[in-house]
Amino acid sequence: MLGDGIGEKMKFLFYHFKNDTISSWLFNYTGHVEALQEVAITPDSLIVLENTLKFRIDVENKFSASRASGYERTSRKYRLTESEATAQLSKILLPTPIADKLTDTRYLLILPCLNISSIPFGMLKPWNNRATVIDSIAYSFVHNLREFFDTAQASKTGFRYTLQNPVIV
């Protein structure tokens, strides 16, 4: 069991993709759905947004302004700025109904789909105060339901959380 009342501040975010739509369900520690949101997007669009964000991070970290401008000209595919890519990914992966329910969350377990676990999730800024996810919530990805249930044991009163070898980002 997790101490310090973290169970009540823990949530589970489940993503599912079907028919060019990502569905997101946010469950609280008792297993009740707190928010559900669907966002239309193709897998290719999500991959391009991920690559755009990673490209912009790479350009800003590795090149001086003069070299970066030449490097950017070589790639016409990634035209968004880092802040634009971050804003779009935030709206897709943590839309307002979900983000609003995360304000009091201390720990988030995420069951991703598609390429969500490879997106720099911690850089997302879903709140109006522009705080990043990594500065606000401890989170980790569980890549299948079996892994989730190894992490969270179901009980009649809800979920009792016992962490076994967690990967906390």
Side-chain angles (χ1 to χ4, degrees), residues 20 29 64 87 114 129 131 148 163-164 168:
D20 290 339
Y29 77 102
S64 66
L114 300 173
N129 66 4
F148 169 71
L163 293 182
Q164 301 167 354
I168 299 176

Side-chain angles (χ1 to χ4, degrees), residues 54-102:
K54 288 178 177 179
F55 174 78
R56 293 297 174 197
I57 293 166
D58 190 47
V59 167
E60 289 181 14
N61 288 337
K62 289 186 178 179
F63 299 106
S64 66
S66 61
R67 285 188 63 206
S69 63
Y71 185 60
E72 288 181 45
R73 281 192 299 266
T74 64
S75 177
R76 301 286 183 216
K77 189 174 186 178
Y78 308 123
R79 294 182 181 200
L80 297 176
T81 65
E82 179 183 330
S83 61
E84 290 169 334
T86 301
Q88 285 190 23
L89 283 167
S90 297
K91 288 178 185 175
I92 293 165
L93 299 179
L94 295 170
T96 302
I98 303 264
D100 288 348
K101 297 290 184 177
L102 293 175

